């Protein structure tokens, strides 16, 4: 089955850039979407088709996907960005697969 | 404005069947290009995709759950449902319904979620 690996946690100071990675075999050949889940809330879509932002998502959220790694970048991180972040792909053998999730701590 | 709302028992006994409904408003579940999806977050763990269904197709289920799960659509009520049989404590967690948009290859609208506790 397809597996995607994310770091369990990432810490960043307010105003700095946070980078969250998602790794998987030939991940660059698949479409990746990213979801933010704040404590006690349902997930929201922040990136789809590797790098596209839905309307309403701040420009400080950007992403890329190449080779075996997809990357979510949050520039000028704010306290409100503190949340869990998950990547999601579709794999022909496993169907839809989430990464394990990364907790972003804004310290 | 598209909205999804989960409903169902918050407590299910071990070995029984978990049944949830997702009520959809603002869009018809028979509209082209949308799959109706269940995702869960087991207690203390990350998100887990459960399954999805297209109105004119067969459902797709997570391989780890497919022997116990069933998703169905009720077009007359514009809602879809989840049934998970033989539940154990490992099935305790938050359950979310969501809309998967084929063109975007992503879940763009989510329900607020409902917490289910499995206990004897």
């Amino acid at each position: 089955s397809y597996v995607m690996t994310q770091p369990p946690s990432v810490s960043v100071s307010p105003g700095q850039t946070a980078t969250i990675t998602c790794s998987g075999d030939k991940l660059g050949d698949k479409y990746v979407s990213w979801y933010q889940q704040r404590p006690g809330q349902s997930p929201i879509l922040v990136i789809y088709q590797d790098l596209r932002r839905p309307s309403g998502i701040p420009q400080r959220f950007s992403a890329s996907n190449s080779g075996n790694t997809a990357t979510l970048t949050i520039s000028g991180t704010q306290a409100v960005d503190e949340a869990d972040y998950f990547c999601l792909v579709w794999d022909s053998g496993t169907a839809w697969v989430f990464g394990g999730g990364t907790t972003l701590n804004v310290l | 404005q598209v909205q999804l709302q989960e409903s169902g028992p918050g407590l299910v006994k071990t070995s029984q069947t978990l049944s949830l409904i997702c009520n959809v408003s603002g869009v018809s579940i028979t509209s082209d290009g949308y799959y109706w999806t269940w995702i869960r977050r087991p207690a203390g763990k990350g998100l887990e995709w459960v399954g999805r269904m297209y109105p004119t197709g067969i459902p797709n289920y997570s391989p780890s759950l497919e022997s116990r799960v069933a998703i169905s659509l009720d077009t007359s009520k514009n809602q879809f449902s989840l049934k998970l049989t033989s539940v154990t404590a490992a099935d305790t967690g938050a359950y979310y319904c969501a809309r998967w948009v084929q063109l975007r290859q992503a879940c763009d609208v989510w329900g607020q979620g409902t917490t289910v506790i499995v206990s004897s």
Side-chain angles (χ1 to χ4, degrees):
Chain A
S1 61
Y2 194 78
V3 175
M4 292 195 297
T5 302
Q6 296 183 236
S9 65
V10 168
S11 295
V12 65
S13 300
Q16 298 303 301
T17 297
T19 300
I20 298 171
T21 58
C22 179
S23 299
D25 185 49
K26 298 179 181 177
L27 187 55
D29 293 343
K30 308 176 190 299
Y31 271 138
V32 177
S33 53
W34 289 92
Y35 302 84
Q36 175 195 70
Q37 186 173 26
R38 297 189 179 105
Q41 298 185 18
S42 58
I44 63 170
L45 176 68
V46 295
I47 294 288
Y48 66 97
Q49 287 182 340
D50 293 341
L51 49 73
R52 302 184 189 280
R53 269 181 299 106
S55 61
I57 299 302
Q59 285 187 319
R60 63 179 182 274
F61 286 85
S62 63
S64 62
N65 182 22
S66 179
N68 294 323
T69 304
T71 302
L72 175 68
T73 302
I74 308 172
S75 304
T77 305
Q78 300 179 8
V80 71
D81 299 328
E82 192 162 271
D84 292 332
Y85 291 84
F86 296 89
C87 53
L88 172 66
V89 297
W90 181 83
D91 172 73
S92 59
T94 316
W96 282 261
V97 181
F98 282 100
T102 298
T103 297
L104 177 64
N105 298 302
V106 182
L107 306 174
Chain B
Q1 180 186 5
V2 178
Q3 293 185 314
L4 283 68
Q5 177 70 58
E6 305 87 349
S7 63
L11 182 64
V12 181
K13 290 188 180 298
T14 303
S15 80
Q16 299 298 302
T17 296
L18 180 161
S19 296
L20 298 175
I21 290 173
C22 180
N23 190 65
V24 179
S25 60
V27 65
S28 170
I29 63 172
T30 62
S31 299
D32 284 342
Y34 302 134
Y35 289 77
W36 303 99
T37 302
W38 287 98
I39 292 159
R40 70 179 186 176
R41 187 165 185 180
K45 297 187 176 182
L47 293 174
E48 178 183 18
W49 182 77
V50 175
R52 73 170 195 181
M53 187 160 187
Y54 195 73
T56 59
I58 61 173
N60 305 119
Y61 300 129
S62 167
S64 66
L65 296 172
E66 64 179 341
S67 65
R68 301 193 291 129
V69 67
I71 295 174
S72 59
L73 305 185
D74 186 337
T75 57
S76 68
K77 296 181 179 178
N78 211 45
Q79 59 187 206
F80 60 107
S81 65
L82 168 70
K83 291 188 186 299
L84 184 64
T85 62
S86 304
V87 296
T88 70
D91 297 310
T92 291
Y95 285 74
Y96 303 95
C97 58
R99 181 179 77 170
W100 172 271
V101 183
Q102 188 65 8
L103 276 179
R104 292 190 166 190
Q105 291 289 294
C107 285
D108 69 337
V109 182
W110 295 64
Q112 66 181 33
T114 187
T115 297
V116 177
I117 297 173
V118 178
S119 175
S120 56

